[in-house]
Amino acid sequence: MTIDMSQFYQVFFAEAAEHLESMESLLLALDHENPDDEQLNAIFRAVHSIKGSAGTFGFGDMADLTHVLEGLLDKLRKGELRLSEELVDACLEARDVLGGQLATHRDGAPASPAAAVVAARRLAAVAEAPAPASEVAAPRPVATPADTIFSFVLESPEADQAAVMEALCAELEDFGAVTIEQRDRTAGQPWQLRIAACRDAGAARDVIAFVANAVDLDTVASTTTQLPTDEAAWGLFEDSEVAPDDDGWGLFESVPLPEQGQEADAADGSYGFFSAPSAPAEPERAREARPAANAETTIRVGVDKVDLIINQVGELVITHAMLQQIASALDPIQFERLHSGLAQLERNSRDLQASVMSVRMVPISTVFNRFPRVVRDLSGKLGKQVELKMSGEATELDRGLVERIVDPLTHLVRNSLDHGVETPDKRLAAGKSAVGTVTLKAYQHSGSVVIEVGDDGAGLDRERILAKARERGMALGSANGDRLSDAEVWNLIFEAGFSTAEQVTDVSGRGVGMDVVKRNITALGGRIDIESMAGIGTRMTVRLPLTLAIVDGMSVAVGTESYIVPLGYVLESLQPEPGMIKRMGGVNSLLQVRGDYLPVIALHELFGIRNAETDFTRGIMVLLEVDDRRAALFVDALLGQHQVVIKNLETNYRKVAGIAAATIMGDGRVAFILDAVALVSKAAAGMPAAA
Amino acid sequence: MNRHRDNDDTDTRSQEFLTFILGGEEYAIDILRVQEIRGYDAVTPIAHAPEFIKGVMNLRGAIVPIIDLRIKFGLGQPDYTPFTVVVVLNVGRRVVGIVVDAVSDVISVADSQMHPPPELSRAVDLRYITGLAMLDERMLIVVDIEGLMLSADMALVDEAVI
């Protein structure tokens, strides 16, 4: 009998992937001297869950490998094996193979059965290690099995249920003798299944959870406290820390299940179980688990749904702008209520927008989490000793950015490891400690998310870079590069094909890295800067915009055109007096403001706009600041301040210098949003190197 | 719009085209590439763009570049009246609009009515002319509008991002 389980595959793939991820971070976080029981159990549970569900879905390769891994982990958590570097490596390798197997089943990636065999052998070898000395934590209480009754509603349509139940029972036989309690169910009523002498109720519940409907799942009434929240079954995987019970802590002591109809009062039932005393640890766990179970309510939402909402909020902002424009022509006193209604609408839209944007924000830890592994593996491979220091993992950034920043950041980290940090001997010879440090830092700063990747290695070699550039015939200015500032020299490495590596390793050195990194970051609307000092270290700073969709802008007129200046960069606006305008080199203009000289960006010249004001004293100077560089933007007049929805110009057209994006104004016309960052950078670059 | 059905019903393969007039010539483009037809209105010019790129227009929230083929192919001085027509196209994954003299109709052209492209072409680059269609007394120049719009000299697409 075959049932079409493919509808459940997606859930399995997503959850298995999460388990693999948590396995990895837990394995890396283990303290070898004194491993935390909770962590060991969590790793065990993750592996066990994958094993159970992989078996149900017929992914034999994963079930087999997890079986071996599970056996090893079981010994580990019982204290029969000692934790060692070798063991962790073997587990990590197995985890990687599982990831590959998952990819094969999910994406159709090519399978490599040999890898699984190697990993399994390695695990077996490590498992042979002699039992540790008595300093290991006391063995866990051995579970005494008991009957467990499960109550649930199946997700598949009525017609298939018998078939699904058969398959389910077959799978659950692993845990104990299975009997279906109610023979004549009416449709829609929960099924009840008893597993006699159930060995591991938590895991059994996981298996059932795959075919039972989360929403209608009354209680997978094993003896845990999870219940009433049906999400418990799904949520199980997320809150494995929260539900320490599945592991057999209190469950098995729990006892007097059966004959009493406890599905209905499963909730009480479980409380009752926990009061049944056995190991002193239980009651505390129960108390902890209960409140935590209530706190855990999350929903898994597709990103496309969130994006749709964001677009709709964007359209709402545009519609409001249109109404506002029409209403502005109406007498404020006569139409007072209309105006105040519109003002309220604006507040509501703004709040809605902020809430929606925050839905898309995820902490950068989702990106940073992979780096401990990357650093560990790579430093091992390169024979270097490196410590990774991360900070600001809670910094949030837009989800759309997260996925696209991973590759560039990975490249930067690998570069630091490969080219930045020196080998231990070189470091010692240079008077540094043998262990190098790579730092990953994230924080928010004036409308941007800033990510720093730094190392305390050898720093960039100016001469090597210049030599390479000369070799490639790149234009290096008058003194063939000698007069270039350090910053300009560092920027050379962003040229395509540039690499000063002596040999190409499979890590880096092929010269296809930095230009792609820069391009990817720029495509996200961000930028990357490099600082470096020979012998001290290097730091790459990536800046990304905080919000993608909506920005506060000031609209300005230049000739008959109008443009939007992102308000975040505007310091102030003023009408200049003749004395404030200075010339430099006869060509460039400077604006003197309170002792500072700012380069002037004359938009009408830049964009070739006719009929614009050319006399600086008859227009407005909008002072812009980007990081610590300033410039003065010359425009005819200020038109107003609006919230605008950013629309990508490159979707249908291409990048235009000086323009960041486009938007639609209240009158339906398209207006361009200026690329303040590029404009100011360019203007400031024309200034002689000063403060 | 009238539909001209070809007389020969036994020809099973035929394609549908939108025909328009440009500089006195009649052109035919794959109807599947045409999203809609609208008037010319409120186009925001783009700095330093070639003269034939008039600018961008708001099409129900999408920013759509408008190219005046009359200027591109040097067909005299174009004017913009309430009757000026913009054909909005879906080419590649982009939406772009082209300004033409007038739009004719939607027709079906059977393979038997299709002839090889001419040796010379005044306006459209030969690379993008897929053939000539003879319908009654009309001669239609069949153009690969997608290839044409995405070609480098239309300056719509650019390779590097920076």
Side-chain angles (χ1 to χ4, degrees):
Chain A
M1 153 244 11
T2 43
I3 326 164
D4 183 18
M5 300 283 254
S6 54
Q7 52 184 314
F8 304 114
Y9 285 174
Q10 288 316 308
V11 180
F12 166 69
F13 291 146
E15 292 180 346
E18 275 179 22
H19 280 310
L20 288 177
E21 220 179 278
S22 75
M23 262 176 72
E24 184 180 55
S25 38
L26 285 167
L27 280 168
L28 288 171
L30 282 175
D31 176 356
H32 296 191
E33 299 303 310
N34 210 356
D36 178 29
D37 294 338
E38 210 13 70
Q39 287 179 331
L40 289 175
N41 282 313
I43 301 176
F44 177 84
R45 281 197 299 274
V47 173
H48 188 76
S49 298
I50 299 179
K51 182 182 104 156
S53 30
T56 307
F57 289 100
F59 296 136
D61 54 352
M62 291 183 73
D64 290 341
L65 185 55
T66 41
H67 183 75
V68 179
L69 187 51
E70 182 191 54
L72 177 82
L73 288 168
D74 199 30
K75 278 195 191 166
L76 194 60
R77 68 183 183 149
K78 287 202 187 116
E80 289 166 27
L81 262 187
R82 180 156 49 182
L83 190 57
S84 68
E85 188 84 20
E86 176 66 39
L87 197 147
V88 173
D89 278 346
C91 292
L92 284 173
E93 186 184 324
R95 184 221 91 98
D96 287 344
V97 173
L98 284 169
Q101 290 170 333
L102 182 66
T104 304
H105 292 301
R106 181 182 59 199
D107 309 322
S112 53
V117 172
V118 169
R121 250 187 242 145
R122 195 166 166 200
L123 287 172
V126 175
E128 297 303 307
S134 53
E135 14 117 343
V136 173
R140 310 270 158 272
V142 175
T144 52
D147 278 11
T148 316
I149 295 214
F150 295 89
S151 166
F152 50 88
V153 174
L154 286 180
E155 200 178 275
S156 56
E158 210 32 59
D160 291 342
Q161 294 210 352
V164 175
M165 284 304 288
E166 258 196 70
L168 187 58
C169 293
E171 177 58 29
L172 292 173
E173 287 293 334
D174 264 358
F175 296 102
V178 180
T179 42
I180 300 182
E181 290 283 278
Q182 315 151 292
R183 275 295 147 193
D184 44 354
R185 282 173 58 253
T186 48
Q189 288 291 88
W191 285 90
Q192 268 155 20
L193 204 88
R194 174 208 295 262
I195 301 184
C198 177
R199 260 198 300 286
D200 187 339
R205 175 174 35 138
D206 297 351
V207 174
I208 296 174
F210 274 108
V211 295
N213 191 319
V215 174
D216 296 322
L217 191 58
D218 285 342
T219 44
V220 182
S222 46
T223 51
T224 65
T225 53
Q226 285 303 7
L227 4 76
T229 62
D230 30 272
E231 267 121 341
W234 300 117
L236 176 64
F237 299 124
E238 274 114 70
D239 49 52
S240 46
E241 301 325 310
V242 170
D245 30 50
D246 339 338
D247 190 51
W249 282 103
L251 301 194
F252 299 63
E253 271 60 39
S254 50
V255 143
L257 305 185
E259 283 59 52
Q260 309 146 17
Q262 70 281 42
E263 292 69 39
D265 29 69
D268 307 332
S270 49
Y271 297 158
F273 296 156
F274 279 82
S275 60
S278 45
E282 269 93 62
E284 278 109 27
R285 287 234 174 260
R287 268 175 252 129
E288 263 176 55
R290 247 177 286 143
N294 295 336
E296 190 69 45
T297 39
T298 56
I299 314 179
R300 211 192 272 274
V301 178
V303 174
D304 46 333
K305 284 191 183 165
V306 177
D307 284 346
L308 186 59
I309 297 177
I310 292 195
N311 280 346
Q312 290 166 342
V313 171
E315 296 304 319
L316 184 66
V317 170
I318 293 180
T319 306
H320 170 265
M322 262 199 297
L323 289 173
Q324 187 66 52
Q325 184 159 42
I326 297 171
S328 63
L330 298 174
D331 177 44
I333 309 223
Q334 205 184 346
F335 293 95
E336 185 198 333
R337 291 179 60 189
L338 178 63
H339 282 109
S340 72
L342 281 175
Q344 175 116 16
L345 181 62
E346 187 186 17
R347 278 195 295 279
N348 291 344
S349 313
R350 229 178 244 274
D351 289 344
L352 180 60
Q353 173 203 324
S355 306
V356 164
M357 294 308 293
S358 75
V359 171
R360 271 183 66 109
M361 301 292 267
V362 297
I364 204 170
S365 54
T366 54
V367 173
F368 280 7
N369 280 348
R370 70 199 60 220
F371 287 118
R373 180 78 192 273
V374 170
V375 170
R376 180 201 154 93
D377 288 348
L378 199 47
S379 52
K381 214 185 217 178
L382 295 169
K384 297 182 181 170
Q385 291 170 27
V386 180
E387 188 193 339
L388 176 66
K389 285 206 178 112
M390 303 197 293
S391 68
E393 294 99 309
T395 306
E396 289 194 329
L397 72 167
D398 186 278
R399 198 188 207 299
L401 287 178
V402 162
E403 287 142 11
R404 293 161 70 185
I405 201 63
V406 169
D407 284 341
L409 275 186
T410 306
H411 191 91
L412 291 178
V413 170
R414 298 181 96 169
N415 261 3
S416 283
L417 286 170
D418 201 7
H419 301 301
V421 177
E422 315 94 318
T423 56
D425 328 317
K426 281 215 194 100
R427 288 185 65 91
L428 288 169
K432 299 183 187 174
S433 82
V435 179
T437 310
V438 168
T439 45
L440 266 180
K441 219 164 111 169
Y443 54 91
Q444 285 183 7
H445 177 66
S446 64
S448 303
V449 171
V450 185
I451 306 172
E452 290 178 8
V453 179
D455 64 72
D456 64 350
L460 294 174
D461 187 333
R462 186 193 161 101
E463 281 320 309
R464 274 257 286 280
I465 295 177
L466 277 176
K468 190 81 192 185
R470 286 178 195 130
E471 199 184 290
R472 298 186 68 216
M474 292 168 60
L476 295 172
S478 49
N480 203 18
D482 291 335
R483 280 222 215 101
L484 289 178
S485 68
D486 279 357
E488 287 163 324
V489 175
W490 308 147
N491 276 340
L492 292 173
I493 69 178
F494 289 125
E495 294 296 317
F498 202 99
S499 170
T500 57
E502 278 141 5
Q503 318 145 293
V504 171
T505 63
D506 65 351
V507 175
S508 51
R510 284 206 201 89
V512 292
M514 290 307 268
D515 67 316
V516 174
V517 167
K518 178 160 183 182
R519 204 182 311 154
N520 286 349
I521 291 177
T522 311
L524 294 173
R527 29 190 283 250
I528 174 168
D529 296 299
I530 309 180
E531 293 160 286
S532 176
M533 282 183 73
I536 311 277
T538 309
R539 178 167 64 192
M540 316 256 176
T541 309
V542 176
R543 281 187 183 80
L544 299 169
L546 196 50
T547 57
L548 292 187
I550 298 182
V551 82
D552 280 314
M554 179 157 70
S555 58
V556 296
V558 182
T560 48
E561 299 303 317
S562 62
Y563 295 91
I564 306 281
V565 183
L567 217 46
Y569 298 113
V570 176
L571 284 175
E572 62 180 286
S573 315
L574 50 90
Q575 184 159 29
E577 282 155 38
M580 295 165 83
I581 318 280
K582 311 281 177 204
R583 290 234 164 250
M584 184 180 69
V587 176
N588 302 324
S589 303
L590 295 177
L591 184 74
Q592 182 185 16
V593 179
R594 295 186 291 269
D596 257 338
Y597 289 90
L598 275 57
V600 172
I601 304 169
L603 271 185
H604 63 276
E605 281 172 18
L606 203 61
F607 288 159
I609 302 170
R610 295 178 281 258
N611 310 319
E613 185 58 70
T614 48
D615 181 349
F616 288 164
T617 59
R618 294 168 58 128
I620 306 274
M621 289 284 186
V622 179
L623 306 192
L624 303 174
E625 180 177 66
V626 173
D627 298 326
D628 37 7
R629 286 181 283 216
R630 294 189 187 179
L633 184 72
F634 177 65
V635 302
D636 289 9
L638 300 184
L639 296 174
Q641 208 170 302
H642 321 265
Q643 210 178 24
V644 296
V645 177
I646 301 180
K647 298 235 174 225
N648 195 326
L649 188 55
E650 282 139 74
T651 312
N652 292 327
Y653 188 54
R654 60 187 168 103
K655 175 128 183 60
V656 177
I659 303 284
T663 185
I664 297 183
M665 302 299 290
D667 61 0
R669 287 187 60 110
V670 176
F672 293 120
I673 301 172
L674 295 178
D675 184 354
V677 175
L679 288 172
V680 173
S681 301
K682 193 166 145 203
M687 298 277 280
Chain B
M1 299 273 185
N2 301 323
R3 259 170 207 271
H4 291 234
R5 292 249 164 255
D6 51 301
N7 298 325
D8 191 351
D9 284 307
T10 61
D11 261 79
T12 46
R13 293 194 337 149
S14 66
Q15 249 193 296
E16 289 208 312
F17 294 92
L18 174 78
T19 59
F20 60 83
I21 300 185
L22 191 60
E25 308 268 2
E26 204 172 0
Y27 293 87
I29 60 176
D30 181 6
I31 190 75
L32 294 175
R33 298 267 157 253
V34 179
Q35 180 178 297
E36 63 191 270
I37 297 171
R38 43 177 295 151
Y40 182 93
D41 184 33
V43 173
T44 305
I46 304 173
H48 301 304
E51 218 195 314
F52 57 88
I53 299 186
K54 300 300 295 175
V56 286
M57 173 199 275
N58 166 20
L59 188 68
R60 293 185 302 279
I63 312 281
V64 177
I66 305 294
I67 295 191
D68 194 332
L69 289 183
R70 306 172 299 181
I71 301 177
K72 173 73 176 137
F73 297 136
L75 302 166
Q77 281 297 98
D79 61 347
Y80 301 95
T81 72
F83 302 108
T84 305
V85 140
V86 174
V87 178
V88 180
L89 305 165
N90 268 322
V91 286
R93 275 166 296 167
R94 297 160 182 257
V95 179
V96 302
I98 53 173
V99 185
V100 298
D101 287 330
V103 170
S104 303
D105 51 14
V106 177
I107 56 163
S108 254
V109 177
D111 282 359
S112 59
Q113 291 166 303
M114 204 61 101
H115 297 268
E119 300 292 305
L120 294 173
S121 168
R122 265 191 304 134
V124 179
D125 189 325
L126 268 179
R127 272 179 296 179
Y128 304 110
I129 299 185
T130 59
L132 288 178
M134 308 297 264
L135 246 66
D136 303 324
E137 286 137 29
R138 288 157 81 188
M139 185 188 82
L140 304 163
I141 305 170
V142 183
V143 174
D144 168 15
I145 196 69
E146 180 167 42
L148 178 65
M149 297 313 292
L150 298 179
S151 69
D153 64 308
M154 274 297 171
L156 277 178
V157 178
D158 98 347
E159 311 308 316
V161 170
I162 301 179

